[in-house]
């Protein structure tokens, strides 16, 4: 924030020191802080979406591995782990579309 304040001071250094200039400077500074805060929130939201997607992929791999192990250990002659695999794959697929739904 100090860097932002310094840049704003640099922008307004050529203007005369009047009350109107101070008011405009304060309004500009408040607007810049609000834009910066919104940008930081947006970046945090995007970061959290990526974490959720990674978590869903890792979780799906573990669950599918578990079903594969159970299938091969208890009934290797019948391959049934494929059916729950389709259901488990919906989890990362839905998170993927949630993450990429509004990217323009």
């Amino acid at each position: 924030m100090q860097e932002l304040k310094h840049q704003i001071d640099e922008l307004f250094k050529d203007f005369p020191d009047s009350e109107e200039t101070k008011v405009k400077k304060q309004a500009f500074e408040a607007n810049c802080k609000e834009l910066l805060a919104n940008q930081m929130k947006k970046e945090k939201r995007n970061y959290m979406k990526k974490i959720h997607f990674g978590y869903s992929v890792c979780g799906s791999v573990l669950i599918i591995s578990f079903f594969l192990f159970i299938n091969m250990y208890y009934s290797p002659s019948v391959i049934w782990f494929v059916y729950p695999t389709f259901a488990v794959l919906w989890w990362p697929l839905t998170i993927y579309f949630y993450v990429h739904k509004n990217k323009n």
Side-chain angles (χ1 to χ4, degrees), residues 13-14 18 21 25 30 32 44 53 56 58 62 64 68 70 88:
K13 73 178 179 182
D14 295 334
S18 67
T21 304
K25 181 179 176 182
C32 286
K44 183 178 179 183
F53 179 68
S56 68
C58 292
L62 288 174
I64 292 169
L68 177 64
I70 296 297
V88 172

Side-chain angles (χ1 to χ4, degrees), residues 56-97:
S56 68
V57 168
C58 292
S60 296
V61 167
L62 288 174
I63 292 169
I64 292 169
S65 301
F66 173 72
F67 282 134
L68 177 64
F69 170 75
I70 296 297
N71 184 189
M72 293 299 136
Y73 189 76
Y74 288 108
S75 58
S77 61
V78 179
I79 299 184
W80 55 263
F81 83 94
V82 175
Y83 304 115
T85 297
F86 288 123
V88 172
L89 286 177
W90 279 106
W91 179 23
L93 187 64
T94 56
I95 299 296
Y96 174 81
F97 284 118

